[in-house]
Amino acid sequence: MAFKIFHPISFIVLIFILLAPIGHARRSTPSDRKSSPFDFIKKLEGCHKGNNTKEIHELKAYLEQFGYLKYQNKTHATDDDFDDILESAIKTYQKNYHIKPSGIVDDKTISKMTTPRCGVPDIVNGTNYMQSRDKKHKSGSSNIHTVSHYSFFPGNLRWPSSKTHLTYRFLPNFPNNAMAPVARAFQKWDSATHFTFAQVQTNQNSDLVIAFHRRDHGDGSPFDGPGGVLAHAFAPTNGRFHYDADETWSIGPVAGAFDLETLALHEIGHLLGLGHSSVNAAIMFSGIGAGQIKNLHDNDIQGIRALYGR
């Protein structure tokens, strides 16, 4: 397995760090960079109900992967007919990402759908928690109305109240250079929650396990190569968090690479029980562009406090 990590040291100079537990990574050039597995969506610009275009079955698979679509008839799931069910799924996607729910594959929808993202579905078992929900809180004699944009896994899966200290370990294929960004992400969640975290040795038992994998790696959620799904993690108390080894990773913001700490912050949120947020600035928003870094947002902290109590 080979993958790349970049680390910025100034605005002008970038050190290229090759981390290859097996084999050697080589510097990518424009000619050998593969297209994103989501690029097919660009060919569907303007598609709407009633169309029959050869890439539509791929759009159906994309929306099914992230929880928006489920056909009872498998024939319809693999054909290229833009039917009522697909239109409804696209409208739901558009609502989740604050796009006018036209049901048409327009520019804004394409831009959002082609953004590299976390592999955890937005909708699980048909329940869409990304839709804003009105909450009413009593404060003295007045009622305070708020709107929540965070989400949880179905059943509000979480760690037991007695379990506030979580241990984590890296599998043997994990490069030493990538461990510090993950540790910093844990420290940020430590500061914002009632949880504490500690790393243990690779050969010890732990609550959480972190690794790099590529393609089909046996957990039922295969990766798809560069530029698509970047990482994924499982709800409590499963404890698994995986990076896609086919991506180009960085320590800090680097053009064309994905920040290890930012993705760790996001996936640790899933490990603790948070689903995806509809707030673009939140760490639990599903997508992240290359070269971007993000931090915990008030929405993330509100979500974790709502799940576990203040």
Side-chain angles (χ1 to χ4, degrees):
M1 181 178 71
F3 51 92
K4 290 162 276 189
I5 293 180
F6 288 86
H7 183 77
I9 60 172
S10 71
F11 291 107
I12 302 173
V13 180
L14 297 177
I15 291 181
F16 181 42
I17 303 172
L18 298 180
L19 297 172
I22 302 175
H24 298 279
R26 60 190 177 89
R27 187 186 302 271
S28 62
T29 63
S31 62
D32 63 26
R33 288 190 189 122
K34 296 180 180 178
S35 62
S36 163
F38 299 158
D39 278 352
F40 73 90
I41 298 170
K42 298 175 183 177
K43 301 176 184 177
L44 297 173
E45 182 177 3
C47 278
H48 53 80
K49 187 172 69 173
N51 287 156
N52 185 293
T53 307
K54 65 179 181 179
E55 284 85 8
I56 285 178
H57 72 279
E58 294 185 64
L59 179 60
K60 290 179 177 180
Y62 174 100
L63 289 166
E64 182 175 7
Q65 179 180 357
F66 298 117
Y68 291 89
L69 195 62
K70 187 172 180 62
Y71 282 95
Q72 299 301 320
N73 186 325
K74 295 302 180 183
T75 300
H76 294 316
T78 56
D79 66 26
D80 287 318
D81 289 331
F82 199 125
D83 54 26
D84 291 330
I85 298 174
L86 178 57
E87 181 187 53
S88 177
I90 290 173
K91 285 182 177 180
T92 300
Y93 181 94
Q94 290 168 330
K95 289 176 184 176
N96 277 357
Y97 289 96
H98 307 296
I99 301 168
K100 181 181 178 181
S102 64
I104 299 170
V105 185
D106 55 25
D107 288 343
K108 289 183 178 180
T109 304
I110 291 171
S111 176
K112 193 63 65 179
M113 284 186 170
T114 54
T115 299
R117 59 166 288 158
C118 169
V120 174
D122 298 334
I123 300 173
V124 183
N125 296 333
T127 302
N128 183 9
Y129 288 100
M130 284 184 68
Q131 294 293 324
S132 300
R133 301 178 306 283
D134 288 325
K135 300 285 185 180
K136 182 186 287 186
H137 303 280
K138 280 196 171 183
S139 177
S141 60
S142 63
N143 290 329
I144 302 172
H145 291 269
T146 62
V147 178
S148 61
H149 301 273
Y150 46 78
S151 69
F152 311 131
F153 289 97
N156 292 359
L157 296 174
R158 58 184 180 176
W159 293 89
S161 57
S162 60
K163 187 73 172 177
T164 60
H165 180 70
L166 300 176
T167 57
Y168 66 92
R169 62 187 167 98
F170 299 102
L171 290 191
N173 70 342
F174 208 93
N176 291 335
N177 311 60
M179 292 180 182
V182 178
R184 288 194 295 271
F186 274 115
Q187 183 56 48
K188 288 178 179 179
W189 277 111
D190 180 309
S191 299
T193 67
H194 68 295
F195 287 103
T196 58
F197 306 92
Q199 182 184 346
V200 299
Q201 297 300 312
T202 297
N203 59 356
Q204 292 182 257
N205 290 328
S206 62
D207 301 300
L208 313 173
V209 181
I210 308 165
F212 276 93
H213 290 295
R214 61 155 43 98
R215 301 292 177 173
D216 188 350
H217 50 284
D219 64 358
S221 300
F223 287 128
D224 52 11
V229 170
L230 305 173
H232 58 225
F234 293 82
T237 54
N238 183 297
R240 289 178 293 172
F241 160 18
H242 301 153
Y243 286 104
D244 185 354
D246 280 331
E247 304 294 348
T248 299
W249 295 100
S250 67
I251 301 171
V254 175
F258 298 95
D259 178 48
L260 286 161
E261 183 177 333
T262 296
L263 266 296
L265 274 171
H266 179 97
E267 302 305 335
I268 293 168
H270 288 317
L271 294 175
L272 297 179
L274 289 180
H276 286 149
S277 170
S278 62
V279 176
N280 193 295
I283 198 65
M284 296 312 298
F285 190 75
S286 67
I288 182 73
Q292 295 181 354
I293 58 172
K294 294 175 75 173
N295 212 326
L296 291 179
H297 183 274
D298 285 345
N299 182 255
D300 306 306
I301 297 171
Q302 289 168 12
I304 205 72
R305 288 178 177 174
L307 181 60
Y308 288 95
R310 292 182 178 274

